[in-house]
Amino acid sequence: MSTTETTASGIGPVEGASLYDVDNPAPVIESPRKRTNKTPKSTRGNFEMYGWLFMRLSGIVLVVLVLGHLLIQLVLDGGVTKVGFAFVAGRWASPWWQVWDLAMLWLAMLHGANGLRTVINDYAEQASTRLWLKGLLYTATVFTILLGTLVIFTFDPNIR
Amino acid sequence: MATPVLDKAEAEAQAASPYITVTFRVRRFNPEVSAEATWEDFQLEIDPKERVLDGLHKIKWDMDGSLTFRRSCAHGICGSDAMRINGKNRLACKTLIKDINPEKPITIEPIKGLSVLKDLVVDMEPFFQAYRDVMPFLITKDTNEPTRERLQSAEDRERFDDTTKCILCAACTSSCPVFWNDGQYFGPAAIVNAHRFIFDSRDDAGEQRLEILNDKDGVWRCRTTFNCTDACPRGIEVTKAIQEVKRALITRRF
Ligand code: HEM
Ligand code: SF4
Ligand code: FES
């Protein structure tokens, strides 16, 4: 049979002879990161389990912390217009709000970072892409958590 | 005077004809002809009480013998013919034409997340690799040849009844967005089949299987989207089975 012939199915070369035939088929599109018998066997440890639990537990606490935060910042007492240096300084004078903000900082950052780690695991195909994206993510996370913690503890309301 | 009577009978027979015209819009791929997959429409006369598989047979047998798909039992038992029909994973042999709006073209595609080899046939090897990796067979501490039946109470049997119904069609795994993006994830079907043995009182390797699914590509990658439960042609509560494995993993620690 001629290879240039359009099959009954109507799939044929767009123009001229087909590049492919029985002995030279088109490459099959591989599914991403497919499982083979060389896929490494089970790794010990419970990291993923603790990560999964942490997402749920931190989520529950975040509902209170974040909604409370939004309510205070954006709704009560004249809404967002009241927020200024004096307002922040006033709140951080109280250890209660210091602890509140510290907990929110750590939980939201770790929760968000672990969530993004999941997203990277889902979408980055190559081992090197995964490594770099996670490296960037962890650097940004550690930096933000440390900077935020430093500011909460060393905040000086009399700064000029 | 016989003529009008006959005409009337004929007209009634016409009106009562069960056949309707439907369009099957099939995703076709033949690597021996082109690297591109294309949609192809087929018009067929079919009784809406027939199944999508019957329509595919009509195409293959009477219109275009090159159409390639898997089927074996044609009665929802062998699990060969899972495909994406109107955007949902179903078995072609269990989907009636009348149930999927035959007014519009019916789209038929291969299941997603596995390499398409030709038309509706995909490479099932990665799917079965994940299945084998959970050790889907009875393992007992006592390695001697049994001398009598392994008895089990009705309640113990009931514990894992739902997951014994799996026919390994891959409708669930190939509906899972995590699996689409990362084939290293075990996927719902492998977890369902691990569940079937983990919760079997006669089996002694539950702990080992739990450890396998505690892996970074195990149950913790499940995001509870329920696509698997929606897809399962056997009505297995797939997401619930996954959740039960998660719970078993957590409670064995705490
Ligand atoms: C307000 C209360 C919150 C609750 C109850 C909550 C709950 C959750 C839960 C349960 C998951 C896991 C989903 C899964 O595994 O399928 C998750 C994922 C995630 N969360 Fe939160 N979260 C909250 C706030 C936040 C905040 C403030 C951030 C950002 C800093 C965030 C970022 C993420 C990200 C990036 C993911 C991963 C998304 C994904 O898995 O597709 N969440 N959240
Ligand atoms: S659980 Fe259901 S959808 Fe998944 S492979 Fe088994 S029968 Fe098919
Ligand atoms: S052909 Fe066997 S399940 Fe459909």
Side-chain angles (χ1 to χ4, degrees), chain A residues 9 11 18 20-22 25-26 28-37 39 42-43 45-46 48-49 52 118 121-123 130, chain B residues 28 31-33 35 38 40 64 113 115-116 126 129-130 133 180-184 186 211 214-216 220-221 223 246 250 253:
Chain A
S9 66
I11 303 176
S18 167
Y20 307 104
D21 58 40
V22 178
V28 159
I29 300 171
E30 298 287 344
S31 40
R33 294 165 52 80
K34 77 178 173 196
R35 181 172 276 270
T36 66
N37 54 13
T39 293
S42 162
T43 45
N46 296 311
E48 295 297 334
M49 182 183 86
W52 186 91
T118 318
N121 278 340
D122 276 352
Y123 290 107
R130 290 167 162 248
Chain B
R28 311 239 14 213
E32 292 172 3
V33 176
T38 51
E40 187 177 2
D64 182 349
S115 304
V116 181
Q129 184 63 49
D133 285 348
W180 291 338
N181 290 307
D182 189 347
Q184 297 285 308
F186 274 91
E211 198 51 62
N214 197 25
D215 187 53
K216 64 176 168 24
W220 307 115
R221 297 207 67 174
R223 313 280 262 288
K246 285 177 186 162
I250 291 172
R253 282 312 128 185

Short mmCIF file of all heavy atoms in Angstrom, two decimals, chain A residues 9 11 18 20-22 25-26 28-37 39 42-43 45-46 48-49 52 118 121-123 130, chain B residues 28 31-33 35 38 40 64 113 115-116 126 129-130 133 180-184 186 211 214-216 220-221 223 246 250 253:
data_model
loop_
_atom_site.label_atom_id
_atom_site.label_comp_id
_atom_site.label_asym_id
_atom_site.label_seq_id
_atom_site.Cartn_x
_atom_site.Cartn_y
_atom_site.Cartn_z
N SER A 9 -9.78 6.64 7.46
CA SER A 9 -10.12 7.42 8.65
C SER A 9 -9.97 8.90 8.40
O SER A 9 -10.37 9.71 9.24
CB SER A 9 -9.21 7.02 9.80
OG SER A 9 -7.88 7.39 9.48
N ILE A 11 -7.28 10.55 8.33
CA ILE A 11 -6.04 11.11 8.83
C ILE A 11 -4.99 10.92 7.74
O ILE A 11 -4.65 9.81 7.39
CB ILE A 11 -5.57 10.40 10.11
CG1 ILE A 11 -6.65 10.47 11.17
CG2 ILE A 11 -4.28 11.02 10.62
CD1 ILE A 11 -6.30 9.72 12.43
N SER A 18 3.51 11.57 3.75
CA SER A 18 3.57 11.51 5.20
C SER A 18 5.00 11.23 5.64
O SER A 18 5.75 10.55 4.97
CB SER A 18 2.65 10.41 5.71
OG SER A 18 2.91 10.15 7.05
N TYR A 20 5.61 9.61 8.24
CA TYR A 20 5.58 8.38 9.03
C TYR A 20 4.96 7.24 8.25
O TYR A 20 4.10 7.43 7.42
CB TYR A 20 4.79 8.62 10.31
CG TYR A 20 5.29 9.83 11.07
CD1 TYR A 20 4.59 11.03 11.04
CD2 TYR A 20 6.48 9.75 11.77
CE1 TYR A 20 5.06 12.13 11.73
CE2 TYR A 20 6.97 10.84 12.46
CZ TYR A 20 6.25 12.03 12.44
OH TYR A 20 6.73 13.11 13.11
N ASP A 21 5.43 6.03 8.54
CA ASP A 21 4.79 4.85 7.99
C ASP A 21 4.94 3.69 8.98
O ASP A 21 5.37 3.90 10.12
CB ASP A 21 5.37 4.50 6.61
CG ASP A 21 6.88 4.26 6.69
OD1 ASP A 21 7.33 3.64 7.67
OD2 ASP A 21 7.59 4.73 5.78
N VAL A 22 4.58 2.50 8.54
CA VAL A 22 4.54 1.35 9.45
C VAL A 22 5.89 1.11 10.13
O VAL A 22 5.97 0.83 11.32
CB VAL A 22 4.10 0.09 8.67
CG1 VAL A 22 4.09 -1.12 9.59
CG2 VAL A 22 2.72 0.31 8.08
N PRO A 25 7.05 4.81 12.73
CA PRO A 25 5.88 5.49 13.29
C PRO A 25 6.25 6.77 14.03
O PRO A 25 7.39 6.94 14.45
CB PRO A 25 5.31 4.46 14.26
CG PRO A 25 6.44 3.58 14.62
CD PRO A 25 7.40 3.60 13.47
N ALA A 26 5.29 7.67 14.15
CA ALA A 26 5.49 8.91 14.90
C ALA A 26 5.73 8.57 16.36
O ALA A 26 5.23 7.57 16.86
CB ALA A 26 4.26 9.81 14.78
N VAL A 28 5.29 8.40 20.24
CA VAL A 28 4.13 8.48 21.13
C VAL A 28 4.41 9.56 22.16
O VAL A 28 5.55 9.74 22.59
CB VAL A 28 3.95 7.10 21.80
CG1 VAL A 28 3.15 7.19 23.07
CG2 VAL A 28 3.31 6.13 20.83
N ILE A 29 3.40 10.33 22.54
CA ILE A 29 3.61 11.36 23.57
C ILE A 29 3.63 10.69 24.94
O ILE A 29 2.64 10.11 25.37
CB ILE A 29 2.50 12.43 23.51
CG1 ILE A 29 2.51 13.10 22.13
CG2 ILE A 29 2.67 13.46 24.62
CD1 ILE A 29 1.33 14.01 21.90
N GLU A 30 4.78 10.76 25.59
CA GLU A 30 4.92 10.11 26.89
C GLU A 30 4.15 10.88 27.95
O GLU A 30 4.13 12.11 27.94
CB GLU A 30 6.41 10.05 27.29
CG GLU A 30 7.28 9.24 26.34
CD GLU A 30 7.07 7.74 26.47
OE1 GLU A 30 6.47 7.30 27.47
OE2 GLU A 30 7.49 7.01 25.55
N SER A 31 3.56 10.16 28.89
CA SER A 31 2.91 10.83 30.01
C SER A 31 3.98 11.31 30.98
O SER A 31 5.04 10.69 31.08
CB SER A 31 1.91 9.90 30.69
OG SER A 31 2.41 8.61 30.78
N PRO A 32 3.71 12.44 31.68
CA PRO A 32 4.76 13.02 32.53
C PRO A 32 5.18 12.09 33.66
O PRO A 32 4.33 11.54 34.35
CB PRO A 32 4.12 14.29 33.09
CG PRO A 32 2.81 14.46 32.43
CD PRO A 32 2.46 13.20 31.73
N ARG A 33 6.48 11.93 33.84
CA ARG A 33 7.05 11.18 34.97
C ARG A 33 6.36 9.86 35.19
O ARG A 33 5.87 9.56 36.28
CB ARG A 33 6.95 12.04 36.24
CG ARG A 33 7.82 13.28 36.19
CD ARG A 33 7.45 14.27 37.27
NE ARG A 33 7.41 13.67 38.60
CZ ARG A 33 8.48 13.43 39.35
NH1 ARG A 33 9.68 13.75 38.92
NH2 ARG A 33 8.37 12.87 40.53
N LYS A 34 6.32 9.02 34.16
CA LYS A 34 5.52 7.82 34.34
C LYS A 34 6.21 6.77 35.20
O LYS A 34 7.43 6.72 35.27
CB LYS A 34 5.10 7.24 32.99
CG LYS A 34 6.14 6.48 32.24
CD LYS A 34 5.53 5.94 30.96
CE LYS A 34 6.63 5.31 30.12
NZ LYS A 34 6.22 5.11 28.75
N ARG A 35 5.41 5.98 35.88
CA ARG A 35 5.89 4.96 36.79
C ARG A 35 6.40 3.75 36.01
O ARG A 35 5.75 3.29 35.07
CB ARG A 35 4.75 4.52 37.71
CG ARG A 35 5.10 3.46 38.73
CD ARG A 35 3.94 3.27 39.68
NE ARG A 35 3.98 4.27 40.74
CZ ARG A 35 4.62 4.09 41.90
NH1 ARG A 35 5.25 2.98 42.15
NH2 ARG A 35 4.61 5.03 42.81
N THR A 36 7.58 3.28 36.38
CA THR A 36 8.12 2.07 35.75
C THR A 36 8.59 1.14 36.86
O THR A 36 8.52 1.49 38.03
CB THR A 36 9.33 2.40 34.86
OG1 THR A 36 10.38 2.87 35.70
CG2 THR A 36 9.00 3.44 33.82
N ASN A 37 9.11 -0.02 36.48
CA ASN A 37 9.60 -0.91 37.54
C ASN A 37 10.90 -0.40 38.13
O ASN A 37 11.43 -0.98 39.07
CB ASN A 37 9.72 -2.35 37.03
CG ASN A 37 10.57 -2.44 35.78
OD1 ASN A 37 11.25 -1.47 35.42
ND2 ASN A 37 10.53 -3.57 35.10
N THR A 39 10.98 2.78 39.26
CA THR A 39 10.56 3.77 40.25
C THR A 39 11.02 3.33 41.63
O THR A 39 10.80 2.18 42.01
CB THR A 39 9.02 3.91 40.23
OG1 THR A 39 8.63 4.48 38.99
CG2 THR A 39 8.53 4.80 41.36
N SER A 42 9.37 2.33 48.25
CA SER A 42 8.96 3.14 49.40
C SER A 42 10.12 3.72 50.20
O SER A 42 11.07 3.04 50.54
CB SER A 42 8.10 2.26 50.29
OG SER A 42 8.01 2.81 51.57
N THR A 43 9.99 5.02 50.48
CA THR A 43 10.96 5.66 51.36
C THR A 43 10.42 5.60 52.78
O THR A 43 9.24 5.78 52.99
CB THR A 43 11.12 7.14 50.96
OG1 THR A 43 9.82 7.69 50.74
CG2 THR A 43 11.94 7.29 49.70
N GLY A 45 9.91 6.84 56.76
CA GLY A 45 9.70 8.16 57.34
C GLY A 45 8.29 8.63 57.12
O GLY A 45 7.60 8.17 56.21
N ASN A 46 7.87 9.57 57.95
CA ASN A 46 6.49 10.03 57.91
C ASN A 46 6.36 11.48 57.51
O ASN A 46 5.39 12.13 57.86
CB ASN A 46 5.87 9.84 59.30
CG ASN A 46 5.81 8.38 59.66
OD1 ASN A 46 5.34 7.56 58.87
ND2 ASN A 46 6.30 8.04 60.84
N GLU A 48 5.64 13.10 54.77
CA GLU A 48 4.45 13.49 54.02
C GLU A 48 3.20 13.41 54.88
O GLU A 48 2.29 14.23 54.74
CB GLU A 48 4.29 12.61 52.78
CG GLU A 48 5.40 12.77 51.75
CD GLU A 48 5.46 14.17 51.16
OE1 GLU A 48 4.42 14.87 51.13
OE2 GLU A 48 6.56 14.57 50.74
N MET A 49 3.17 12.46 55.81
CA MET A 49 2.01 12.36 56.68
C MET A 49 1.94 13.59 57.60
O MET A 49 0.87 14.19 57.75
CB MET A 49 2.09 11.10 57.54
CG MET A 49 0.88 10.94 58.42
SD MET A 49 0.98 9.52 59.49
CE MET A 49 1.87 10.21 60.86
N TRP A 52 0.81 16.58 55.67
CA TRP A 52 -0.63 16.54 55.41
C TRP A 52 -1.40 16.96 56.65
O TRP A 52 -2.34 17.76 56.59
CB TRP A 52 -1.00 15.11 55.00
CG TRP A 52 -2.42 14.91 54.56
CD1 TRP A 52 -2.89 15.00 53.28
CD2 TRP A 52 -3.55 14.54 55.37
NE1 TRP A 52 -4.24 14.72 53.25
CE2 TRP A 52 -4.66 14.43 54.52
CE3 TRP A 52 -3.72 14.30 56.72
CZ2 TRP A 52 -5.93 14.10 54.97
CZ3 TRP A 52 -4.99 13.96 57.18
CH2 TRP A 52 -6.08 13.86 56.31
N THR A 118 3.76 21.33 47.41
CA THR A 118 2.84 20.38 46.77
C THR A 118 2.63 20.74 45.30
O THR A 118 2.65 19.87 44.43
CB THR A 118 1.48 20.42 47.48
OG1 THR A 118 1.70 20.48 48.89
CG2 THR A 118 0.64 19.24 47.13
N ASN A 121 5.66 19.86 43.33
CA ASN A 121 5.69 18.41 43.12
C ASN A 121 4.72 18.00 42.03
O ASN A 121 4.97 17.05 41.28
CB ASN A 121 5.33 17.67 44.41
CG ASN A 121 6.50 17.56 45.35
OD1 ASN A 121 7.66 17.67 44.92
ND2 ASN A 121 6.23 17.34 46.62
N ASP A 122 3.61 18.72 41.92
CA ASP A 122 2.63 18.38 40.90
C ASP A 122 3.10 18.77 39.51
O ASP A 122 2.95 18.02 38.56
CB ASP A 122 1.32 19.13 41.16
CG ASP A 122 0.44 18.40 42.16
OD1 ASP A 122 0.79 17.26 42.50
OD2 ASP A 122 -0.57 18.97 42.59
N TYR A 123 3.63 19.96 39.39
CA TYR A 123 3.79 20.52 38.04
C TYR A 123 5.20 20.49 37.47
O TYR A 123 5.36 20.55 36.25
CB TYR A 123 3.25 21.95 38.00
CG TYR A 123 1.75 21.98 38.11
CD1 TYR A 123 1.13 22.40 39.27
CD2 TYR A 123 0.96 21.54 37.05
CE1 TYR A 123 -0.25 22.40 39.38
CE2 TYR A 123 -0.42 21.53 37.16
CZ TYR A 123 -1.01 21.97 38.33
OH TYR A 123 -2.37 21.95 38.43
N ARG A 130 12.55 20.91 39.80
CA ARG A 130 12.01 20.76 41.15
C ARG A 130 12.98 21.29 42.17
O ARG A 130 12.61 22.05 43.07
CB ARG A 130 11.79 19.27 41.45
CG ARG A 130 10.68 18.70 40.67
CD ARG A 130 10.68 17.18 40.76
NE ARG A 130 9.37 16.79 40.34
CZ ARG A 130 8.47 16.25 41.12
NH1 ARG A 130 8.75 15.93 42.34
NH2 ARG A 130 7.27 16.00 40.67
N ARG B 28 -8.85 10.59 17.05
CA ARG B 28 -8.10 9.55 16.36
C ARG B 28 -6.62 9.89 16.31
O ARG B 28 -6.23 11.03 16.15
CB ARG B 28 -8.63 9.40 14.92
CG ARG B 28 -10.09 9.28 14.87
CD ARG B 28 -10.64 8.04 14.25
NE ARG B 28 -9.79 6.93 14.01
CZ ARG B 28 -9.95 6.10 12.99
NH1 ARG B 28 -10.87 6.34 12.09
NH2 ARG B 28 -9.16 5.05 12.85
N PRO B 31 -0.04 6.67 14.70
CA PRO B 31 1.36 7.09 14.57
C PRO B 31 1.99 6.65 13.26
O PRO B 31 3.04 7.17 12.88
CB PRO B 31 2.05 6.43 15.77
CG PRO B 31 1.19 5.28 16.13
CD PRO B 31 -0.21 5.68 15.77
N GLU B 32 1.35 5.69 12.57
CA GLU B 32 1.92 5.25 11.30
C GLU B 32 1.56 6.19 10.16
O GLU B 32 2.03 6.03 9.04
CB GLU B 32 1.45 3.82 10.98
CG GLU B 32 2.05 2.82 11.96
CD GLU B 32 1.47 1.43 11.81
OE1 GLU B 32 0.64 1.23 10.90
OE2 GLU B 32 1.86 0.55 12.60
N VAL B 33 0.69 7.16 10.46
CA VAL B 33 0.28 8.09 9.42
C VAL B 33 0.67 9.53 9.78
O VAL B 33 1.18 10.27 8.96
CB VAL B 33 -1.24 8.00 9.17
CG1 VAL B 33 -1.68 9.04 8.17
CG2 VAL B 33 -1.61 6.60 8.70
N ALA B 35 1.76 12.37 13.27
CA ALA B 35 2.07 12.59 14.69
C ALA B 35 0.94 13.33 15.39
O ALA B 35 0.93 13.45 16.61
CB ALA B 35 3.37 13.38 14.82
N THR B 38 -6.41 13.84 15.69
CA THR B 38 -7.47 14.68 15.11
C THR B 38 -8.84 14.16 15.51
O THR B 38 -8.98 13.00 15.88
CB THR B 38 -7.41 14.67 13.57
OG1 THR B 38 -7.37 13.31 13.13
CG2 THR B 38 -6.22 15.42 13.03
N GLU B 40 -12.58 13.06 14.41
CA GLU B 40 -13.28 12.62 13.21
C GLU B 40 -14.73 12.34 13.56
O GLU B 40 -15.02 11.69 14.57
CB GLU B 40 -12.63 11.35 12.65
CG GLU B 40 -13.24 10.96 11.31
CD GLU B 40 -12.59 9.74 10.68
OE1 GLU B 40 -11.68 9.17 11.30
OE2 GLU B 40 -13.02 9.37 9.58
N ASP B 64 -15.44 2.03 9.22
CA ASP B 64 -14.00 2.25 9.18
C ASP B 64 -13.30 1.24 10.08
O ASP B 64 -13.22 1.41 11.30
CB ASP B 64 -13.69 3.68 9.65
CG ASP B 64 -12.20 3.98 9.59
OD1 ASP B 64 -11.41 3.04 9.38
OD2 ASP B 64 -11.84 5.16 9.74
N GLY B 113 -3.68 10.92 30.82
CA GLY B 113 -2.60 10.64 31.76
C GLY B 113 -1.80 9.39 31.42
O GLY B 113 -0.84 9.06 32.11
N SER B 115 -0.03 7.26 27.92
CA SER B 115 0.33 7.51 26.53
C SER B 115 -0.64 6.85 25.57
O SER B 115 -0.94 5.66 25.70
CB SER B 115 1.73 6.97 26.24
OG SER B 115 2.65 7.53 27.13
N VAL B 116 -1.10 7.63 24.59
CA VAL B 116 -1.99 7.08 23.58
C VAL B 116 -1.15 6.30 22.57
O VAL B 116 -0.17 6.82 22.04
CB VAL B 116 -2.77 8.19 22.86
CG1 VAL B 116 -3.71 7.60 21.82
CG2 VAL B 116 -3.54 9.02 23.86
N PRO B 126 2.15 1.76 33.02
CA PRO B 126 2.40 2.48 34.27
C PRO B 126 1.28 2.26 35.29
O PRO B 126 1.54 2.16 36.49
CB PRO B 126 2.44 3.95 33.83
CG PRO B 126 2.73 3.91 32.37
CD PRO B 126 2.12 2.65 31.85
N GLN B 129 1.85 -1.09 36.77
CA GLN B 129 3.06 -1.05 37.60
C GLN B 129 2.69 -0.59 39.02
O GLN B 129 3.11 -1.19 40.01
CB GLN B 129 4.12 -0.13 36.99
CG GLN B 129 5.44 -0.13 37.75
CD GLN B 129 6.11 -1.49 37.73
OE1 GLN B 129 6.23 -2.10 36.67
NE2 GLN B 129 6.51 -1.98 38.89
N ALA B 130 1.88 0.47 39.10
CA ALA B 130 1.45 0.97 40.42
C ALA B 130 0.63 -0.10 41.14
O ALA B 130 0.76 -0.29 42.35
CB ALA B 130 0.64 2.26 40.25
N ASP B 133 2.89 -2.67 42.52
CA ASP B 133 3.71 -2.14 43.60
C ASP B 133 3.02 -2.17 44.97
O ASP B 133 3.67 -2.04 45.99
CB ASP B 133 4.15 -0.69 43.29
CG ASP B 133 5.25 -0.67 42.23
OD1 ASP B 133 5.81 -1.75 41.93
OD2 ASP B 133 5.56 0.42 41.70
N TRP B 180 -2.53 13.02 36.32
CA TRP B 180 -2.27 13.61 35.00
C TRP B 180 -0.91 14.29 34.96
O TRP B 180 -0.18 14.20 33.97
CB TRP B 180 -3.32 14.68 34.65
CG TRP B 180 -4.69 14.15 34.39
CD1 TRP B 180 -5.03 12.88 34.04
CD2 TRP B 180 -5.92 14.89 34.48
NE1 TRP B 180 -6.39 12.79 33.90
CE2 TRP B 180 -6.95 13.99 34.15
CE3 TRP B 180 -6.22 16.22 34.78
CZ2 TRP B 180 -8.29 14.39 34.13
CZ3 TRP B 180 -7.55 16.61 34.76
CH2 TRP B 180 -8.56 15.71 34.43
N ASN B 181 -0.60 15.01 36.06
CA ASN B 181 0.62 15.81 36.06
C ASN B 181 1.83 15.05 36.53
O ASN B 181 2.96 15.42 36.22
CB ASN B 181 0.43 17.04 36.94
CG ASN B 181 -0.51 18.02 36.32
OD1 ASN B 181 -0.33 18.41 35.17
ND2 ASN B 181 -1.55 18.39 37.03
N ASP B 182 1.64 14.01 37.33
CA ASP B 182 2.77 13.29 37.86
C ASP B 182 2.45 11.79 37.97
O ASP B 182 1.79 11.36 38.91
CB ASP B 182 3.16 13.85 39.23
CG ASP B 182 4.48 13.26 39.73
OD1 ASP B 182 4.94 12.27 39.13
OD2 ASP B 182 5.03 13.80 40.70
N GLY B 183 2.93 11.06 37.00
CA GLY B 183 2.65 9.62 36.94
C GLY B 183 3.33 8.82 38.04
O GLY B 183 3.09 7.62 38.16
N GLN B 184 4.16 9.47 38.85
CA GLN B 184 4.78 8.74 39.95
C GLN B 184 3.76 8.47 41.06
O GLN B 184 3.95 7.57 41.87
CB GLN B 184 5.96 9.53 40.53
CG GLN B 184 7.10 9.74 39.54
CD GLN B 184 7.91 8.47 39.33
OE1 GLN B 184 8.37 7.84 40.25
NE2 GLN B 184 8.06 8.08 38.08
N PHE B 186 0.82 6.93 42.97
CA PHE B 186 0.24 5.59 42.83
C PHE B 186 -1.11 5.62 42.12
O PHE B 186 -1.43 4.73 41.34
CB PHE B 186 0.06 4.95 44.21
CG PHE B 186 1.28 4.25 44.70
CD1 PHE B 186 2.22 4.92 45.47
CD2 PHE B 186 1.50 2.92 44.37
CE1 PHE B 186 3.35 4.26 45.92
CE2 PHE B 186 2.63 2.27 44.83
CZ PHE B 186 3.57 2.94 45.61
N GLU B 211 2.93 1.01 54.70
CA GLU B 211 4.24 1.66 54.59
C GLU B 211 4.49 2.09 53.14
O GLU B 211 4.99 3.18 52.88
CB GLU B 211 5.32 0.69 55.08
CG GLU B 211 6.64 1.34 55.43
CD GLU B 211 6.48 2.52 56.38
OE1 GLU B 211 6.01 2.34 57.52
OE2 GLU B 211 6.83 3.63 55.97
N ASN B 214 2.57 5.14 52.43
CA ASN B 214 3.00 6.27 53.25
C ASN B 214 4.10 7.05 52.51
O ASN B 214 4.54 8.11 52.94
CB ASN B 214 3.53 5.75 54.59
CG ASN B 214 3.62 6.84 55.64
OD1 ASN B 214 2.90 7.82 55.57
ND2 ASN B 214 4.50 6.64 56.61
N ASP B 215 4.49 6.52 51.37
CA ASP B 215 5.54 7.07 50.53
C ASP B 215 5.21 8.49 50.06
O ASP B 215 4.06 8.92 50.14
CB ASP B 215 5.64 6.13 49.31
CG ASP B 215 6.80 6.45 48.42
OD1 ASP B 215 7.92 6.53 48.93
OD2 ASP B 215 6.58 6.64 47.20
N LYS B 216 6.19 9.19 49.57
CA LYS B 216 5.93 10.55 49.07
C LYS B 216 5.00 10.54 47.86
O LYS B 216 4.34 11.53 47.57
CB LYS B 216 7.23 11.27 48.74
CG LYS B 216 8.06 10.68 47.63
CD LYS B 216 9.27 11.56 47.36
CE LYS B 216 10.33 10.97 46.47
NZ LYS B 216 9.97 9.91 45.53
N TRP B 220 -0.74 10.50 50.51
CA TRP B 220 -0.72 11.91 50.91
C TRP B 220 -0.76 12.85 49.72
O TRP B 220 -0.96 14.05 49.85
CB TRP B 220 0.49 12.21 51.80
CG TRP B 220 0.54 11.26 52.95
CD1 TRP B 220 1.50 10.31 53.19
CD2 TRP B 220 -0.43 11.11 53.99
NE1 TRP B 220 1.17 9.58 54.31
CE2 TRP B 220 0.00 10.05 54.82
CE3 TRP B 220 -1.63 11.75 54.30
CZ2 TRP B 220 -0.73 9.63 55.94
CZ3 TRP B 220 -2.34 11.33 55.41
CH2 TRP B 220 -1.90 10.29 56.22
N ARG B 221 -0.59 12.33 48.51
CA ARG B 221 -0.70 13.20 47.33
C ARG B 221 -2.17 13.39 46.93
O ARG B 221 -2.47 14.24 46.09
CB ARG B 221 0.08 12.60 46.16
CG ARG B 221 1.56 12.52 46.46
CD ARG B 221 2.37 12.58 45.21
NE ARG B 221 2.28 13.87 44.57
CZ ARG B 221 2.98 14.22 43.52
NH1 ARG B 221 3.81 13.36 43.00
NH2 ARG B 221 2.85 15.41 42.98
N ARG B 223 -5.73 14.84 46.84
CA ARG B 223 -6.23 16.15 47.22
C ARG B 223 -7.74 16.15 47.37
O ARG B 223 -8.38 17.19 47.36
CB ARG B 223 -5.83 17.20 46.19
CG ARG B 223 -4.39 17.10 45.80
CD ARG B 223 -3.49 17.75 46.82
NE ARG B 223 -3.16 19.08 46.39
CZ ARG B 223 -2.35 19.33 45.39
NH1 ARG B 223 -1.79 18.35 44.75
NH2 ARG B 223 -2.08 20.56 45.07
N LYS B 246 -5.57 6.70 54.71
CA LYS B 246 -4.92 7.81 55.42
C LYS B 246 -5.17 7.69 56.92
O LYS B 246 -4.26 7.84 57.73
CB LYS B 246 -5.48 9.16 54.93
CG LYS B 246 -5.00 9.61 53.58
CD LYS B 246 -5.70 10.93 53.21
CE LYS B 246 -5.35 11.37 51.80
NZ LYS B 246 -6.33 12.37 51.30
N ILE B 250 -2.56 7.34 60.08
CA ILE B 250 -2.45 8.29 61.19
C ILE B 250 -2.70 7.58 62.52
O ILE B 250 -1.94 7.76 63.47
CB ILE B 250 -3.44 9.46 60.99
CG1 ILE B 250 -3.00 10.31 59.80
CG2 ILE B 250 -3.52 10.33 62.23
CD1 ILE B 250 -3.99 11.36 59.39
N ARG B 253 -0.05 5.60 64.38
CA ARG B 253 0.99 6.39 65.05
C ARG B 253 0.50 6.93 66.39
O ARG B 253 1.27 7.15 67.28
CB ARG B 253 1.33 7.62 64.26
CG ARG B 253 2.20 7.63 63.05
CD ARG B 253 3.46 6.99 62.96
NE ARG B 253 3.32 6.19 61.76
CZ ARG B 253 4.21 5.34 61.32
NH1 ARG B 253 5.32 5.17 61.96
NH2 ARG B 253 3.98 4.68 60.24
#
